[in-house]
Every structure is written in structure tokens, then in C-alpha cells.
Amino acid sequence: MSDLSSRFTTQAAVRAVLAADCACPESAFAEDGLLFTTAEERPGRRRYPLSARELRIITMGRGVVVSCHPEWMAPLREIIGDRHRDAIFAAPVVTEVTRLVSSDGRLLRGPVSSYACAPESFRPPTDPPGIDFSLVEGEGVHDLYQYPGFENALSYQPDHRRPDVAAAVARRASEIVGIAGMSADCDALWQIGIDVVPGARGTGVGRSLVGHMTELAFARNRVPFYSAAVANLRSHALAVSLGYWPAWVELFARDES
């Protein structure tokens, strides 16, 4: 895998994955404009299942790509028209797209903001006192599945298509107070998820957990990324405090189940 030490090379790696996700040229994310593409399997995409009625709308801050099932192409063109990026992710358009996908028994998720980090921008945290941190990788993560309540950090599925490859565990007096997990969403990008028990929130535990996972991703020459709903301001602030930056925003359809 290429050198991912700089923000520039990290952005390029993210752009390549999103282009595979959307079956489009990488330039579609680097230039202003709107591109509609037919969804299809491409090497290098994130390991989300390609559904029968695929829909994904993504921007990295410039161009917007709408990747969808052919039958949704015409109605989406009518809804979106030639609107600017900001209008596409605003309430009126999102509402209309929600109605479209719900008519097919699907749910629209997002907008979700995703953050990426590079070694040159990373700001390592200082571990809070009184907390012990440990790291596990590979099948060692499966031992953590015996502890419920950390669903944002762990898949709890040994055979998950986006496997848990590592986890950082925070303990206070031998009690687990937080876990950050990292899943191999594709070969290049590893996603970090985190759960901290209520009594340990606001103490720096979450920041340290994500920091430890970030350092491990760098050591494995992977791009760590961190996603959060638009209203989850605490998660956004945590990412920025570690040197992550907003890398992309997306909307996507999922089955109601």
C-alpha cells in the first residue's frame, strides 16, 4: 500500500475508495459538479452489501455523486435537478429522497459526516489518570464479545463482512469503562467506533481510546476514519481534537429491518 503519512495522500486514498463505492471516476469528487452513476460492484469499495435498490449520495466538499439502481435514476434526476451541493444535502431534497426510498420499503440514512486522519495532522492524546488501556488485535477482539453494551465499537460477529481487526479497552479498577473498535471496512480504510459508559464520559477516556486506535491504524498503514451523525457534536469535537478533518458526507438507503 502507498505511503499514507500526509493529508494529501490520505485524501487520495479516501477518494479512490469512494469512487469504487460509487462506480465513478475519482475526478468526480475533486471537481465541482453533479454526476449520476449506476451502482455496481467495484474492487476496492467498502464492504457494505450492494442491495437490490442501491442508493448512495456522496460529496467530499466539491462534486456530488449520486450512485443508484437504474430504476431510481430518473426520479432522482427529477428530485435533484441541477441543484448545488449544499441544496442536495438540505432538508427539502432529503425529504423527497426519503419519500422515494420509503415507497420501496427502504430507509434513508444520513447525512453522515466522516472524518479522516493522517500522521502529519494527528495530535496524540494524554491518557487520563486512573485508567488502564490495553490493545487487542485479530481474533483476540472476539474475546470482548462477552461484554454487551459496546455495539458502536464491536460487531459481535466473528464472521462479519467488515471484521473487527482491533480494539482498545479502557479499564478503571478492572472494570471496562470504554471500548473503541476498528473494523476493516475495505483494504485501505479502517473505521473506528466507540462506546464509553455514562460514568466515564467527559473524562478523556473516549479521546484516548480513539487515539490508540488511530495510532494502530497508522502502524498498519491504513487510513483511520470516524463517522458521526450530524447532530452528534461531541463526536465531531472529539475527532477534530485529535487532528481528524471532515473528509466526506453521505446519504444512503438501507432496508427497514
Side-chain angles (χ1 to χ4, degrees):
M1 196 170 293
S2 61
D3 174 29
L4 299 173
S5 61
S6 72
R7 178 164 174 162
F8 177 81
T9 54
T10 295
Q11 286 282 77
V14 170
R15 189 162 52 246
V17 170
L18 297 182
D21 284 351
C22 294
C24 71
E26 295 180 28
S27 60
F29 293 109
E31 303 167 353
D32 295 333
L34 173 62
L35 177 67
F36 288 83
T37 66
T38 300
E40 63 179 47
E41 289 279 0
R42 291 260 182 111
R45 70 188 298 271
R46 286 176 289 172
R47 298 184 179 106
Y48 300 119
L50 192 69
S51 68
R53 288 286 191 275
E54 182 73 6
L55 170 61
R56 196 170 292 275
I57 305 174
I58 301 181
T59 183
M60 292 184 70
R62 296 196 65 178
V64 177
V65 177
V66 180
S67 179
C68 65
H69 186 275
E71 291 183 9
W72 279 357
M73 191 75 71
L76 283 169
R77 286 184 182 274
E78 184 176 349
I79 291 170
I80 294 173
D82 59 354
R83 287 180 172 84
H84 182 264
R85 175 201 64 229
D86 296 350
I88 293 171
F89 288 88
V93 171
V94 172
T95 299
E96 290 301 312
V97 176
T98 299
R99 289 174 181 162
L100 173 65
V101 301
S102 64
S103 68
D104 194 46
R106 317 218 52 222
L107 296 174
L108 190 70
R109 302 293 190 187
V112 173
S113 297
S114 292
Y115 292 75
C117 193
E120 70 173 11
S121 67
F122 180 55
R123 293 189 288 271
T126 299
D127 291 343
I131 305 294
D132 294 320
F133 293 89
S134 59
L135 297 176
V136 293
E137 292 188 71
E139 293 186 0
V141 179
H142 301 172
D143 294 337
L144 297 174
Y145 293 171
Q146 64 184 297
Y147 304 106
F150 299 95
E151 284 76 12
N152 290 318
L154 304 170
S155 70
Y156 292 94
Q157 298 178 42
D159 57 350
H160 199 280
R161 64 186 297 145
R162 292 177 290 112
D164 297 321
V165 291
V169 182
R171 290 181 172 87
R172 182 170 56 196
S174 300
E175 178 186 358
I176 294 179
V177 295
I179 295 177
M182 191 155 56
S183 60
D185 282 27
C186 64
D187 291 341
L189 272 58
W190 285 3
Q191 180 172 196
I192 297 173
I194 182 171
D195 278 300
V196 177
V197 301
R201 293 171 186 166
T203 64
V205 168
R207 189 167 183 270
S208 283
L209 285 169
V210 175
H212 286 300
M213 285 289 87
T214 302
E215 291 176 320
L216 183 58
F218 294 154
R220 302 294 176 262
N221 198 33
R222 299 301 194 275
V223 174
F225 78 97
Y226 182 98
S227 298
V230 171
N232 193 343
L233 299 184
R234 180 173 290 182
S235 286
H236 294 290
L238 185 154
V240 171
S241 74
L242 290 169
Y244 282 72
W245 67 85
W248 75 92
V249 176
E250 64 184 308
L251 292 161
F252 53 92
R254 283 288 178 266
D255 294 334
E256 288 190 359
S257 58

